[in-house]
Amino acid sequence: MATIENNLQAVKKRIASACAGAGRSADEVLLVAVTKTFPPEAVREAARAGQRDFGENYVQEALTKIESLADSRLVWHFIGPIQSNKTRAIAEAFQWAHSVDREKVAVRLSEARPAHLPALQVCIEVNVSGEQTKSGVAPEALPALARTVHALPRLRLRGLMAIPEPTADLELARRRFRLVRELRDELNRSGLALDTLSMGMSADLEAAIAEGATMVRVGTAIFGARKAA
Ligand SMILES: *Cc1c(COP(=O)(O)O)cnc(C)c1O
């Protein structure tokens, strides 16, 4: 049963060839393995195959896995919608939060980040698909939110995250990802120093890498299809 290991190798090959096609080095793109709905044993198997970074969407489910994998020195990324009553648990247990999309959540994460830990690394989630998706800050509201998050003492703003609407149209996918990169570049011209673009999943990681993704969040291609919730 070396399936997870084989799948990880296949995904890494996809990342490497997308990087080669874009004239980028494969080590510019970090693979975050998304383990939502999968048991701790799946995480352990991936960890044994060398995977270090893991993404989770649901706080309660994640805490169980984080605890049972505590001996493995993994890096945990919170990538799901953030409810404000879950900010403390996220701030205490995760190294990254990719899905910050409003001031209230950012303030609470900063306040709850334990003093003995380094600042929580965060991305702001941007809605680049207009009305077709509801999570993420609108591009127009991004600069103000970025200023706010940047100023919070216990957060370290690293970049932007996006989940464009699923599409078979490769050009549309590229356009969405390109917009994320342009928004990041614009923030950097205004004085921030954001180095992270968290974008691309099992179906569209090539398009995301072509447009500058530095983290891809991949679940299905590593662990198989998820059962409907
Ligand atoms: C589930 C999920 C992923 C992984 O999606 P796959 O299509 O299974 O690779 C990535 N990012 C977020 C935010 C997710 O919720």
Side-chain angles (χ1 to χ4, degrees):
M1 272 295 287
T3 322
I4 289 177
E5 184 170 6
N6 293 343
N7 291 348
L8 268 171
Q9 290 311 322
V11 169
K12 284 191 191 149
K13 272 201 188 123
R14 282 177 64 190
I15 292 172
S17 71
C19 284
R24 305 179 59 198
S25 152
D27 60 17
E28 289 174 38
V29 179
L30 180 76
L31 172 60
V32 177
V34 177
T35 41
K36 62 173 178 246
T37 78
F38 291 99
E41 298 75 61
V43 180
R44 200 169 286 284
E45 193 175 334
R48 265 201 303 270
Q51 180 63 27
R52 280 290 160 269
D53 290 80
F54 290 89
E56 284 282 336
N57 291 57
Y58 309 106
V59 174
Q60 221 39 56
E61 180 193 334
L63 293 180
T64 310
K65 284 179 232 182
I66 292 172
E67 194 156 313
S68 71
L69 276 294
D71 54 333
S72 297
R73 302 189 151 271
L74 304 179
V75 179
W76 292 95
H77 301 249
F78 191 81
I79 62 173
I82 304 179
Q83 296 165 273
S84 46
N85 64 347
K86 297 285 162 57
T87 45
R88 176 163 302 278
I90 294 169
E92 289 175 352
F94 285 82
Q95 286 93 326
W96 282 79
H98 291 226
S99 40
V100 172
D101 66 356
R102 55 195 206 277
E103 179 174 343
K104 181 184 176 190
V105 154
V107 168
R108 290 178 68 120
L109 285 171
S110 181
E111 285 171 355
R113 182 67 171 174
H116 69 277
L117 295 175
L120 180 67
Q121 309 190 79
V122 306
C123 293
I124 293 177
E125 182 178 351
V126 196
N127 179 351
V128 290
S129 303
E131 281 157 18
Q132 299 167 66
T133 55
K134 51 237 159 293
S135 55
V137 65
E140 306 75 55
L142 173 63
L145 181 59
R147 290 276 148 214
T148 302
V149 173
H150 177 71
L152 288 168
R154 300 294 293 139
L155 302 186
R156 179 162 169 229
L157 180 59
R158 293 290 303 270
L160 303 179
M161 183 271 231
I163 315 170
E165 77 274 34
T167 175
D169 179 347
L170 191 66
E171 264 318 301
L172 177 63
R174 292 268 311 241
R175 226 165 37 240
R176 301 299 195 213
F177 292 130
R178 193 176 313 141
L179 175 57
V180 185
R181 170 165 52 82
E182 288 167 355
L183 290 167
R184 191 269 316 261
D185 292 346
E186 220 168 282
L187 291 173
N188 283 349
R189 279 194 297 274
S190 80
L192 297 178
L194 308 184
D195 59 11
T196 300
L197 292 174
S198 168
M199 56 190 197
M201 317 200 298
S202 293
D204 57 11
L205 68 88
E206 283 85 1
I209 288 171
E211 295 297 343
T214 65
M215 284 190 185
V216 292
R217 309 174 311 270
V218 178
T220 309
I222 300 171
F223 300 103
R226 290 177 292 274
K227 294 193 189 76

